[in-house]
Amino acid sequence: MCSSALGKSLLHQPGTFLLASMDILLSSRPPLEYLKPFDKPTYKRLDGIIEPDRNYCSLFESGPPPERPKVENPRERKEREWKEKTIEHIKKIREESKDWNPKGNPKATHDPYKTLFVCRLNKNISEAYLKQVFEDYGAVRKVVLVKDRDGKSRNYAFVEFEKTDEYIDAYKHANNKKLNGLRIRVDYERGRTREDWRPRRFGGGKGRSRTSRRDEERLAELLREIDEEENMLRQDEDEGVKGDSPGQEEQKRDSPVAKRKERSEERPKERSESRGRRRSRSRAKDHKRKQRDNDDHHKRREKRHRSRERGKDRRESRRDRSKERREDYDR
């Protein structure tokens, strides 16, 4: 672009106060093209007035309303799944417990009345070391260290002695002994000496389980329900009942088994109410105990304060007496 053309573009346009370049930039655009508006669809206006000759009540359903479908919440679903799994597990355990026969075990010791049950063992303890430890109490006849299918120790064993006196001595003194960093527990063998004994895996065992008290109550209630169902099935098989008549249904409803089932259903509500009463009583006891402790604390504090004051008075009287003695001595 030459200098003369550039100079012309920078000049003022006639009738404006802007430069030519600014006038082009700020000039308005041409007007938009006119378009004819389209036709809008028409709808029937709803004014809310019904037809007087029409019977609208016939459009509704007649008869009782349908039952509302019950949808279980997450808590109920969790409770149902736990109950199903527990019932299946209990039935499986009861079937396995029928075949349990500790007296027919070929690997067991010879005399169960001279055999000790030793548990809480270290996993690295061998039968030879265990025999060497228990020989301090007498002659050991046999040691059986229980292992799993992979050959690993299950941390308990059976030790058989030659004499009854040595067996009793080991039973009294070997309990709570430390072996390889662990305190062992010693007890007499119960599987072959007690008819009503069942191991822990079959719902027996000694002492409390690791479950909480609430889970134990739920499990006991579930066991009662299973026993009642089995008793009812056994009664039906004995009577040979195939189809119940109305009279038999009433008898079943009034039977002690059905009444026990109703009571077991009402028991959780009564238990929750009694639990609430126990909580309120325990809160009241805690409040009284705190008040009593607070009062005792204040009494002890006052007693200490009085003893301090008495001590100060004694010390001051001693100082006065000693001062008087010194003055008498100086005279």
Side-chain angles (χ1 to χ4, degrees):
M1 188 174 182
C2 62
S3 59
S4 61
L6 181 61
K8 289 179 182 179
S9 64
L10 294 174
L11 295 175
H12 290 286
Q13 295 293 328
T16 62
F17 297 97
L18 300 172
L19 297 175
S21 58
M22 295 296 292
D23 188 47
I24 293 169
L25 183 63
L26 299 175
S27 61
S28 61
R29 295 179 181 178
L32 297 174
E33 184 182 357
Y34 174 76
L35 296 176
K36 187 179 179 182
F38 59 90
D39 296 333
K40 294 182 180 179
T42 57
Y43 297 101
K44 185 179 179 181
R45 187 179 177 185
L46 302 175
D47 52 3
I49 299 174
I50 63 173
E51 300 177 9
D53 299 334
R54 188 171 180 183
N55 185 14
Y56 288 96
C57 294
S58 62
L59 300 176
F60 294 99
E61 295 180 0
S62 60
E67 293 183 1
R68 187 175 181 180
K70 187 179 180 182
V71 180
E72 60 182 2
N73 53 29
R75 187 175 180 180
E76 292 175 348
R77 179 180 56 80
K78 192 174 181 181
E79 184 74 18
R80 177 181 56 79
E81 290 177 355
W82 174 84
K83 191 175 284 188
E84 291 175 356
K85 289 180 182 178
T86 309
I87 288 172
E88 185 179 356
H89 180 64
I90 290 170
K91 289 181 178 179
K92 184 180 177 182
I93 284 174
R94 288 185 175 181
E95 290 294 329
E96 291 177 357
S97 64
K98 292 177 181 178
D99 301 331
W100 182 66
N101 183 19
K103 295 180 180 179
N105 187 6
K107 297 181 181 179
T109 57
H110 298 85
D111 190 356
Y113 294 97
K114 296 179 184 178
T115 303
L116 284 179
F117 169 74
V118 187
C119 63
R120 298 187 184 181
L121 295 172
N122 194 310
K123 62 180 179 180
N124 298 321
I125 285 180
S126 61
E127 292 182 353
Y129 178 70
L130 204 61
K131 185 176 181 181
Q132 181 182 355
V133 169
F134 277 90
E135 278 179 346
D136 296 341
Y137 305 100
V140 177
R141 185 176 182 181
K142 188 178 181 181
V143 177
V144 179
L145 184 65
V146 182
K147 299 180 180 180
D148 57 8
R149 295 177 182 177
D150 299 331
K152 297 180 181 178
S153 172
R154 298 193 65 182
N155 305 335
Y156 68 93
F158 296 93
V159 181
E160 184 183 3
F161 287 85
E162 293 283 352
K163 298 179 181 179
T164 308
D165 298 339
E166 297 168 350
Y167 156 78
I168 294 171
D169 188 27
Y171 175 74
K172 288 180 178 179
H173 299 97
N175 192 30
N176 211 23
K177 189 174 182 178
K178 203 168 187 179
L179 294 182
N180 287 13
L182 294 178
R183 300 279 180 183
I184 63 172
R185 294 291 182 187
V186 175
D187 195 6
Y188 63 91
E189 186 185 347
R190 298 171 183 264
R192 293 181 292 172
T193 57
R194 286 180 55 180
E195 295 294 335
D196 59 342
W197 175 257
R198 289 293 178 271
R200 176 73 73 185
R201 67 178 185 273
F202 294 145
K206 186 181 177 183
R208 293 189 59 186
S209 62
R210 296 179 183 177
T211 56
S212 63
R213 185 172 294 178
R214 178 176 174 274
D215 292 339
E216 287 181 358
E217 291 175 357
R218 291 167 64 197
L219 189 60
E221 187 177 349
L222 193 61
L223 286 170
R224 282 195 297 270
E225 291 180 4
I226 294 171
D227 293 337
E228 288 171 1
E229 288 179 2
E230 289 182 354
N231 290 333
M232 289 178 68
L233 290 172
R234 201 177 294 114
Q235 288 176 5
D236 291 344
E237 289 176 359
D238 294 341
E239 294 174 1
V241 179
K242 294 183 179 179
D244 294 336
S245 61
Q248 290 174 343
E249 289 181 359
E250 291 178 0
Q251 288 178 2
K252 279 193 172 183
R253 207 177 299 118
D254 298 335
S255 64
V257 176
K259 289 180 180 178
R260 281 199 300 271
K261 194 169 184 180
E262 290 177 2
R263 284 198 298 272
S264 65
E265 291 174 356
E266 295 172 358
R267 202 172 289 121
K269 296 179 182 177
E270 297 174 358
R271 197 176 291 123
S272 63
E273 291 174 0
S274 63
R275 198 179 294 123
R277 288 194 293 270
R278 284 199 301 271
R279 283 200 196 107
S280 61
R281 281 195 224 106
S282 64
R283 287 196 197 101
K285 286 181 182 177
D286 292 340
H287 183 65
K288 288 181 181 177
R289 187 169 59 251
K290 286 179 182 177
Q291 285 182 345
R292 190 166 57 251
D293 295 343
N294 198 8
D295 296 340
D296 294 342
H297 172 70
H298 286 299
K299 287 178 182 177
R300 287 194 298 270
R301 193 172 178 182
E302 290 174 1
K303 190 176 180 181
R304 285 196 299 269
H305 181 68
R306 286 197 298 270
S307 64
R308 285 197 203 100
E309 294 294 330
R310 285 196 296 270
K312 285 180 183 178
D313 296 339
R314 288 194 203 99
R315 284 193 293 273
E316 287 176 359
S317 63
R318 281 197 212 103
R319 282 196 216 102
D320 295 338
R321 284 198 298 272
S322 62
K323 191 176 180 181
E324 289 173 359
R325 287 196 203 100
R326 281 197 301 271
E327 289 175 355
D328 294 341
Y329 181 76
D330 292 339
R331 287 196 201 101

